[in-house]
Each structure stands twice: as structure tokens, then as C-alpha cells.
Amino acid sequence: MTPRFHSSLRAFRAYCETLLRAIRAYYNSSIRALRPRYDAAMRDFRPRYDAVLRALRPRYDAAVRAIRACYGRLPARSPRLTLGVAAALVAAVAGLTVGLTAGGGSPAVGHPAALGQPAAANSAGTASGPARWTWRAAAAANPNSRDQLASKDQVQSQAAAQKPAAAEHPAAAQKPAAPAHAAAPAAPAQPAAPAHPAAPPAPPAPPAKPWVFYDSVLPGAIPAGQQVATYATGPYAASPAELAGRGKIMWIDVTGTDYNATALDTEPSDATPTEAADWAYHRLLKHPHGLAHIYTMISEWPAVKQACAWLPASMQSRIRWWIADPTGVPHILPGAQATQWYWGQNYDISTAAPDF
């Protein structure tokens, strides 16, 4: 029985291998025939997809602004608006952001743990810092939270400035005086040491001056010795190895998802104004002592500022505006910290204020 079984098995295996060779040859020929058609179809479809995406992004941003404006006009205390309904509304907007944009999603507001904060700290609604408070959670809890945050920031800054030094140690201020003892005989007065001439005051430091930096999709084209800004994400992303020896690099994100990047490119083909606000929030939350540089065109600047107006005042003060205004003459636009005034074939040039 065993020899017949083995011979049958060998015959079956040979038949399977012959069948597989025939199917593989037919599969390879079909792939070779279909691949050019598939590539042509993709090349034809990609421009349509990009055009639809560019057309939908402004409508999406306008819809988000309309929802936020309607939400801000709700009464402070409405019998029909509960905390759960408000949280569901903001969570729906956040979910829509994650679904329609590439990358820049934010955690849902309905779950405080998703923000990395304990539930009790979020319910307190204080503005003591990002460790216990986020602007999205406050917006879900109270439609007037932005105004409350601004007033709390102002009150806290004034209290910190006027706080007396002795208040740090109340025990020392309330310590009872020691019981009086008999006065000891006074020691003979020592002759005063001769006075030394006072050192001349140090000269004031010279005021900081604006500085110039270059940005390019080809960082190797930037002249040696110049400050370099180049891309960390997107089709023109550069690697740190390409820029070895070029000093401190300003890295630019185009997706709104790289919170370690120095700046964000906000243009119709890159991040949207809403994504810029989300990127600034997450970057400043991850780097409490850092800055968020936002690059945009002068025509898009008002929309980006309106989107970032929902951030806490402490975060808005750490946003640095980098605006494109290619006049060919070095200048810095009022209200901006840097202006890109030259567009060239290989690189662009910007002038930045000392606090950029």
C-alpha cells in the first residue's frame, strides 16, 4: 500500500506543479498587459482628485468656522444644552477634521483621558497650564471659556507681578519676637573701612538687529555661511545628513503632523488654517518653552489668524508669523516676525526680527 501511495503522491505533485507553472505564466502576461493601462488611469485620475480636494478644503474650513461661530452665540446657560451635548458637538467636529484632512487629527473631547489629562483636572476648568487644561476641553465645557481664559491669564499675571516676596514664607513673617533680655554692654565702635571707588556702570548692550535666512527645496543651493530653512516632511523632505555642518536648521512641516518641526507651511497645497491651529496647539503642548512658527501668504494670513484665535492666550503669545510678501526689497510686515521678500529660482530669502 505504501509504494502505491507514494507513487500517487508524486504524480499529484507533478500535476500541481505543471498547473502552477501554466497559471503563473498567464498571470505574468496579464500583469504586463494591464500595467500600462493602470498607470495611465492613475495619471489621469490624480489631477482630478487633487482638483476636488483643493475645491473642498475651503468649504470645509468655512463649515468649521460657521459651526464655531454658531456655538459661540449660544447662551451661557441653556436648559437644552448640557455638557454631554456640547462635548458631542466638539467631538463631531474633531472627528470630521481627522476624517477629511491628511494627518493633523486631534483627540476626541468626549474622553478627557484621550488628551492625556485626568478627568478631575479637566472638569475643574482652570487655566493654570496645559498639564491640567486644554482649549478644546474648555470649549466643550463652556462657550465663553475663551473670554474666561483671557481674564484668568490677566489676573494671574497681575497677581504674580504684585506678590510680595515675604509671602513666600508666611511662617517667617508671623514668627513671634524673642523675649527681651538684659541689654549687654555695647561693644566699642569700630572705625569705618575706607570707601572704595564705585565701579563704572557697564555700557548698555547694543540693540539686537534683524537677521536674514534662506529657505529652499534644494538646501545644497543655499550659499555657504547662511542660515538654512528646509523641509522636514513632504515630497522635498531633506535629511539631517545632507545638512551636516550648516549650523542650526529651521525644519518646515507641510502636513501639520510633525510637532518637532520648527515651522509649518500653511498654503492651499499644504496645511489648512484649521490644521495650522491644531499644529500650533500640539507643538506648544509638546514643547512648553518653544515657539510655533507659521508660514503663510499675505492673502491667507487673516484666515490663519482667525483659526488660531481659539488657542489660549499663553499659546498665542508664542506663535511667530512668517509671511510671504515677495516685493524684492528687504522688510518685515507690521504684526509679523519674519517676511519672505525674495523668491528666486534656487532659494528664497527672508528677514526676521530678533524675537523670531
Side-chain angles (χ1 to χ4, degrees):
M1 238 1 235
T2 301
R4 294 179 58 185
F5 172 76
H6 286 300
S7 62
S8 300
L9 184 61
R10 285 193 297 270
F12 179 72
R13 284 180 175 175
Y15 173 75
C16 291
E17 291 175 357
T18 304
L19 185 62
L20 284 176
R21 283 194 295 270
I23 294 176
R24 185 171 297 168
Y26 175 76
Y27 170 79
N28 292 335
S29 62
S30 300
I31 289 295
R32 286 193 297 269
L34 291 176
R35 179 58 62 87
R37 301 180 186 178
Y38 171 79
D39 293 339
M42 288 300 297
R43 287 192 299 269
D44 182 64
F45 174 74
R46 180 57 62 88
R48 302 179 186 178
Y49 170 79
D50 293 338
V52 171
L53 189 61
R54 285 193 298 268
L56 287 179
R57 273 186 173 174
R59 300 181 185 179
Y60 165 74
D61 292 336
V64 171
R65 288 194 294 269
I67 292 174
R68 285 176 171 172
C70 294
Y71 180 77
R73 287 196 295 267
L74 291 175
R77 292 187 179 180
S78 174
R80 296 183 180 179
L81 180 65
T82 63
L83 178 59
V85 176
L89 176 61
V90 178
V93 174
L96 184 61
T97 303
V98 175
L100 293 183
T101 58
S106 302
V109 178
H111 302 281
L115 291 169
Q117 315 299 337
N122 282 323
S123 62
T126 63
S128 58
R132 294 181 296 171
W133 186 91
T134 61
W135 66 277
R136 291 183 180 275
N142 190 344
N144 296 324
S145 60
R146 183 177 55 177
D147 298 334
Q148 293 179 1
L149 171 65
S151 62
K152 287 182 180 179
D153 285 346
Q154 183 177 5
V155 170
Q156 287 186 356
S157 61
Q158 292 177 355
Q162 299 175 2
K163 185 176 181 181
E168 297 181 357
H169 303 281
Q174 299 176 3
K175 184 176 180 181
H181 297 282
Q190 298 293 334
H196 296 282
K209 297 181 179 180
W211 52 284
V212 175
F213 64 95
Y214 290 60
D215 66 278
S216 175
V217 297
L218 302 172
I222 296 177
Q226 299 295 337
Q227 176 72 43
V228 177
T230 191
Y231 293 89
T233 58
Y236 301 105
S239 65
E242 300 177 39
L243 301 168
R246 296 304 299 264
K248 186 177 180 180
I249 308 300
M250 178 183 295
W251 295 101
I252 306 172
D253 178 27
V254 300
T255 62
T257 58
D258 188 352
Y259 308 128
N260 291 322
T262 313
L264 176 69
D265 192 348
T266 308
E267 297 184 69
S269 60
D270 295 324
T272 64
T274 303
E275 291 172 339
D278 287 339
W279 176 85
Y281 170 77
H282 287 289
R283 169 169 171 76
L284 296 176
L285 192 65
K286 186 175 182 179
H287 303 276
H289 303 290
L291 299 173
H293 300 80
I294 299 180
Y295 169 88
T296 188
M297 298 178 294
I298 191 171
S299 59
E300 296 289 329
W301 192 13
V304 182
K305 287 197 293 186
Q306 182 179 1
C308 293
W310 289 87
L311 294 173
S314 57
M315 287 188 173
Q316 293 188 44
S317 64
R318 289 188 284 142
I319 292 179
R320 298 294 182 264
W321 298 108
W322 177 16
I323 309 302
D325 186 28
T327 62
V329 179
H331 68 286
I332 300 178
L333 288 170
Q337 287 75 40
T339 299
Q340 187 183 70
W341 51 268
Y342 172 79
W343 286 357
Q345 183 177 0
N346 296 323
Y347 51 77
D348 305 328
I349 306 178
S350 301
T351 298
D355 61 339
F356 181 66

